[in-house]
Amino acid sequence: MFQAAKQAKFQRGGSTDDILLDDGNTSYRLSLYDKPPLYDVTVEEFETSALDRLRILAEIESSAARNRSWDETKQVTMIQCGKYLPLNSNSASGIDVQAERRKDCLGHFVLRLAFCRSEELRRRFIRAESTLFKIRFETDDSNERRAFLDSKDFNWISVSKDEKAEYKEQLQHFISAKVDLTTAFKNEAFYKVKWTTIPDLVEKRKVFLKGGYAYVPAREQASIIYSAFEERLEAALQATSRAISLVDEDTRLNPILDNLAQGFIAGVPSDWVASGETTGDGITADMVDSLAKQHFPLCMRVLQQSLRKDHHLKHFGRLHYGLFLKVLGLSIDEAIAFWRKSFAGGPGSDKFDKEYRYNIRHSFGLEGRRMNYPAKNCLQLHSAHEAGCPYRQLEGSPENLQSALLSSYSAQGLTVDDLPEIMAQVKKKSYHVACTRVFEITHARSVKKGEGLGDGESVTHPNQYAARSIELEKESKESKLEINSM
């Protein structure tokens, strides 16, 4: 991967830059990622394949932070994979499985470049990737899984019949037999591996130890495979970290890789967020205050409260809040009316038109470069020094953060008893998880704990939070109308 990136043949044809990469093994749905890809990809494909994979890994880490059960984590991950990273078996019809696997492989290797740069990033990447591999292993077609295992060398030794008979007394303790122990033992295969490679089974006393080897029953074979996956990935990341300077020579890839490395902190925004399109029906200036009290995430509620109190926001506060309201559905005319009304008692009409009107129109793409700017996502707000994520900015002042939460959400059901759980996520720097938990608490009638915005999805954008909240209220009203009409 590095050699390819080092030699990267960036072909300046049209507006796309192509990167030459090595071709990978796409024979099976499961992969140890031991062969890097080798084909031409655009810089856009280089980034999007990694972003889509990172959406999955970020949600896996979010599941761990929220102490979801294995079944819940598995369900959420499979739903997210279906949206962003489908990976079908060879028997699937009408689907280009090779294209799916090429994207899967490319995204994995790009993320290696992003997460090899520190021990902490490597550890988190290995943990999330291992969880994804386990979920895929458990859900894989049994025949294809067997073919995959047969194609790889996991450094295990099949225990012969003679050796199995020699240690029969010890080995039969590890057989799960509901009827006949003798028959079950006869049918059970055993494998020998170095005991240091499967500490989980050793700790749980699920294997027989002899001469530095662990005798593993076939039904526990998965632990050997998971251990091998983690061990090989760790070694690969170490090798990548030693060679990363070769990639650092390209200034266009560095911003992409740096942005990917930040993805675990705030999750990865969904595709609709980047589009800059509105997330709901058109709203008016007079509706904003009411919407803020019912549907806004803490970052935007704080800005609305400051605006009402001081009749003013600093530059970045106006920028972030203005883009948020635009994407929420506030038209240019209503936006000007909203800001003019909010600044009442401040600048006069002439001063408002002179100092603020241009910037409002600029954010709508009507002035200057005429770009229709998207609203800021959680990742961008986390790095903002002003008017950013309050969970991050008030982390060092827990009393102020708790006070802000209670004053903003107590009317929607958040209580003092809920604060320790939220603050625990803030302390772990899982700010988007804390925000997601607030959403669940304040929408308890519609979503259960662990469901997030729906299907377990976490908050990754202020507009995502507000749009989902508005949608749930609309669904609730429609449901009541149906009941009343019956």
Side-chain angles (χ1 to χ4, degrees), residues 162-201:
D162 292 340
E163 190 173 9
K164 185 177 173 182
E166 181 180 357
Y167 299 114
K168 177 180 179 180
E169 182 179 350
Q170 293 88 345
L171 294 177
Q172 64 184 6
H173 290 296
F174 304 99
I175 299 297
S176 177
K178 296 182 179 180
V179 184
D180 184 4
L181 178 61
T182 302
T183 302
F185 179 76
K186 181 180 179 180
N187 294 333
E188 184 78 41
F190 283 84
Y191 302 91
K192 286 197 303 185
V193 295
K194 293 289 186 180
W195 72 269
T196 52
T197 64
I198 49 168
D200 57 328
L201 295 182

Side-chain angles (χ1 to χ4, degrees), residues 290-354:
S290 176
L291 288 171
K293 294 175 181 177
Q294 299 178 64
H295 303 297
F296 287 8
L298 185 61
C299 53
M300 298 303 147
R301 290 198 188 204
V302 168
L303 292 176
Q304 174 63 14
Q305 290 166 3
S306 297
L307 185 58
R308 289 184 62 204
K309 177 183 177 183
D310 303 326
H311 300 289
H312 185 264
L313 286 177
K314 292 183 180 179
H315 171 72
F316 286 106
R318 296 196 304 273
L319 174 64
H320 297 168
Y321 195 40
L323 291 174
F324 166 81
L325 292 175
K326 180 191 77 169
V327 174
L328 194 65
L330 196 67
S331 68
I332 178 61
D333 292 334
E334 289 295 330
I336 291 174
F338 168 76
W339 289 106
R340 188 187 299 278
K341 178 182 177 181
S342 298
F343 285 172
S349 179
D350 291 342
K351 186 177 182 180
F352 176 88
D353 289 341
K354 182 179 179 180

Side-chain angles (χ1 to χ4, degrees), residues 404-425:
L405 285 167
L406 288 174
S407 64
S408 297
Y409 295 106
S410 58
Q412 290 180 272
L414 188 140
T415 68
V416 174
D417 294 337
D418 297 314
L419 294 177
E421 181 182 5
I422 297 169
M423 299 305 297
Q425 299 299 338

Side-chain angles (χ1 to χ4, degrees), residues 202-216:
V202 173
E203 181 182 4
K204 296 175 183 177
R205 299 185 179 183
K206 290 188 174 183
V207 293
F208 169 58
L209 300 178
K210 183 69 176 181
Y213 284 95
Y215 288 68
V216 184

Side-chain angles (χ1 to χ4, degrees), residues 128-320:
E129 279 282 347
S130 298
T131 300
L132 178 59
F133 180 82
K134 291 176 184 178
I135 292 171
R136 287 176 169 175
F137 188 87
E138 289 186 5
T139 58
D140 199 25
D141 177 87
S142 58
N143 292 329
E144 291 186 24
R145 180 170 58 205
R146 174 51 54 192
F148 165 75
L149 295 178
D150 290 343
S151 71
K152 302 296 180 183
D153 180 11
F154 289 99
N155 296 319
W156 59 44
I157 303 170
S158 293
V159 176
S160 65
K161 290 183 179 180
D162 292 340
E163 190 173 9
K164 185 177 173 182
E166 181 180 357
Y167 299 114
K168 177 180 179 180
E169 182 179 350
Q170 293 88 345
L171 294 177
Q172 64 184 6
H173 290 296
F174 304 99
I175 299 297
S176 177
K178 296 182 179 180
V179 184
D180 184 4
L181 178 61
T182 302
T183 302
F185 179 76
K186 181 180 179 180
N187 294 333
E188 184 78 41
F190 283 84
Y191 302 91
K192 286 197 303 185
V193 295
K194 293 289 186 180
W195 72 269
T196 52
T197 64
I198 49 168
D200 57 328
L201 295 182
V202 173
E203 181 182 4
K204 296 175 183 177
R205 299 185 179 183
K206 290 188 174 183
V207 293
F208 169 58
L209 300 178
K210 183 69 176 181
Y213 284 95
Y215 288 68
V216 184
R219 59 189 173 81
E220 302 289 354
Q221 188 182 35
S223 290
I224 304 176
I225 299 162
Y226 300 156
S227 178
F229 180 88
E230 292 183 12
E231 185 178 307
R232 296 184 189 194
L233 181 54
E234 182 176 9
L237 285 171
Q238 292 288 352
T240 306
S241 67
R242 293 191 291 270
I244 193 63
S245 59
L246 303 178
V247 180
D248 287 341
E249 296 172 5
D250 191 279
T251 56
R252 285 170 298 177
L253 296 185
N254 273 328
I256 295 175
L257 297 176
D258 289 341
N259 185 56
L260 291 170
Q262 293 295 316
F264 271 150
I265 299 175
V268 184
S270 303
D271 287 337
W272 64 266
V273 170
S275 69
E277 298 176 355
T278 60
T279 60
D281 298 329
I283 61 174
T284 66
D286 293 334
M287 295 168 59
V288 173
D289 194 50
S290 176
L291 288 171
K293 294 175 181 177
Q294 299 178 64
H295 303 297
F296 287 8
L298 185 61
C299 53
M300 298 303 147
R301 290 198 188 204
V302 168
L303 292 176
Q304 174 63 14
Q305 290 166 3
S306 297
L307 185 58
R308 289 184 62 204
K309 177 183 177 183
D310 303 326
H311 300 289
H312 185 264
L313 286 177
K314 292 183 180 179
H315 171 72
F316 286 106
R318 296 196 304 273
L319 174 64
H320 297 168

